[in-house]
Amino acid sequence: MSRSDDPFDTYLLRVLCTLISEQSVSRTAIRLNQSQPAISAALRRLRVVFGDPLLVRDKNHMVPTARALQAAEQARPALGLIDGLLESGREFAPETTQLSFTLATPDYLAPPFFTRAVQLLREQAPGARLVVLPLGPQFDYEQALQNGEVDIVIGNWPSPPEHLHMSTLLEDEVVCLMDAGHPLAAPGQLTVERYLQAAHVVFTPYSRDQRGVVESSLGTMRVSRDRRVQCSYFGLAPDMLVGTDLLLTTSRHFAAWHARRLPLAIAPLPMAAGSMRFCQLWHSSQHRSASHAWLRGLLGTAAQALVLPA
């Protein structure tokens, strides 16, 4: 929301919250579609209002003070309520909206998902903005959803937090991906014993309180695998398999996409495991928002690009 469109003049609070999130005047200016001088002027006004420097420079970052963190913690829920109050009385028109939407997700959905999502965004809402953030063990996604810093989190945990709203984007089979010349790539060669003896590429956990489908299944069996290579980048892991003896356990749509571009083979997982369910999660404060419902629908439609032919 621009300053001129904000009848309650919450502009300064929006600048404060964004500055704390971005820790940069230039990135805040880009995110709020403002000039850097305008953001710098707003920061000077905020410092006068609060009687506190709010952000202090430390090398290449601006670090928020304790007063700034306290103010932002109180401001974010209030801004969310005000946005909901303004939006509830009017219809949402994608073709004219200037809203910015923020998603948080690992890169474990194959590229066609975001290809289609961005195509739909540009077709339906050319004035809208999209910000995609990574998930990591230090990122409190529940707090980010509650504070309105993030609109939707995409996850594939077996048991997402019950207090969040959820809809399924894709339910997929778990498979093994490996080099096309791997001895275990031939039909019937990948047994449970050989799977456990093999060296694996595994993904670094991106949540502090959730285990993935594979680790949960192995934990139930009271066995473990050789986590020989750990990687935080899902999109990079398949390239690590080429010319090696490593295995990667992942979803079928992800494996199939990378097997089309690399000399890789797919084998069924030799033990029983639940399917991978990729979901979008959101906070109850956004549940009845027309713009949010539109965004959820757009992501649901984009996920159809990942459904493999029967």
Side-chain angles (χ1 to χ4, degrees):
M1 177 180 292
S2 67
R3 187 176 183 182
S4 60
D5 294 333
D6 194 343
F8 296 127
D9 197 17
T10 55
Y11 171 73
L12 288 180
L13 292 182
R14 295 180 195 278
V15 170
L16 174 63
C17 292
T18 309
L19 276 169
I20 290 175
S21 176
E22 297 292 340
Q23 297 186 12
S24 164
V25 169
S26 59
R27 289 197 299 270
T28 296
I30 293 171
R31 186 166 166 183
L32 294 180
N33 196 26
Q34 300 280 308
S35 67
Q36 289 192 37
I39 298 301
S40 296
L43 178 57
R44 288 194 295 270
R45 292 173 60 197
L46 283 163
R47 285 168 168 163
V48 172
V49 170
F50 286 95
D52 187 271
L54 298 177
L55 290 105
V56 294
R57 186 163 295 283
D58 180 17
K59 296 182 179 178
N60 296 325
H61 295 86
M62 297 184 71
V63 180
T65 65
R67 182 70 180 96
L69 293 172
Q70 179 188 46
E73 183 178 357
Q74 296 172 329
R76 288 187 183 112
L79 289 172
L81 289 172
I82 290 173
D83 289 344
L85 175 65
L86 294 174
E87 187 173 311
S88 62
R90 62 181 180 228
E91 294 183 358
F92 171 70
E95 62 274 11
T96 59
T97 187
Q98 299 291 316
L99 288 175
S100 178
F101 300 100
T102 302
L103 311 180
T105 177
D107 59 331
Y108 49 28
L109 289 172
F113 171 71
F114 270 109
T115 298
R116 187 63 183 134
V118 172
Q119 287 172 348
L120 292 170
L121 181 78
R122 298 301 298 149
E123 291 169 5
Q124 299 179 22
R129 297 173 183 273
L130 180 66
V131 179
V132 182
L133 304 176
L135 285 182
Q138 305 307 317
F139 184 79
D140 190 341
Y141 68 90
E142 294 185 54
Q143 189 68 36
L145 287 170
Q146 179 179 325
N147 290 341
E149 295 178 56
V150 169
D151 294 296
I152 287 177
V153 168
I154 298 177
N156 75 334
W157 307 292
S159 302
E162 294 183 357
H163 66 278
L164 295 176
H165 291 273
M166 178 188 75
S167 68
T168 300
L169 293 173
L170 177 70
E171 193 139 0
D172 208 359
E173 177 189 4
V174 183
V175 298
C176 287
L177 188 63
M178 65 194 81
D179 183 81
H182 199 295
L184 299 179
Q189 292 301 305
L190 185 60
T191 63
V192 173
E193 182 179 6
R194 289 169 178 165
Y195 177 90
L196 296 176
Q197 291 174 347
H200 292 256
V201 177
V202 298
F203 298 121
T204 306
Y206 55 85
S207 175
R208 292 170 293 184
D209 55 356
Q210 293 279 357
R211 286 204 306 176
V213 171
V214 178
E215 296 306 326
S216 296
S217 298
L218 293 175
T220 301
M221 297 169 61
R222 297 185 178 181
V223 295
S224 60
R225 53 183 170 167
D226 181 352
R227 303 165 63 90
R228 190 60 58 97
V229 177
Q230 294 196 50
C231 180
S232 297
Y233 305 101
F234 289 77
L236 179 61
D239 291 83
M240 297 178 176
L241 304 175
V242 178
T244 75
D245 62 345
L246 295 165
L247 302 183
L248 174 66
T249 307
T250 184
S251 61
R252 179 169 287 279
H253 89 274
F254 186 88
W257 192 86
H258 286 283
R260 287 194 294 269
R261 71 177 189 87
L262 295 169
L264 300 175
I266 301 172
L269 193 68
M271 73 279 289
S275 60
M276 283 192 180
R277 184 177 57 169
F278 298 89
C279 301
Q280 51 180 335
L281 309 171
W282 64 94
H283 194 264
S284 58
S285 62
Q286 297 279 18
H287 187 58
R288 298 186 183 278
S289 163
S291 61
H292 202 277
W294 169 82
L295 177 63
R296 300 194 301 263
L298 181 147
L299 296 177
T301 300
Q304 295 303 306
L306 303 176
V307 178
L308 298 173

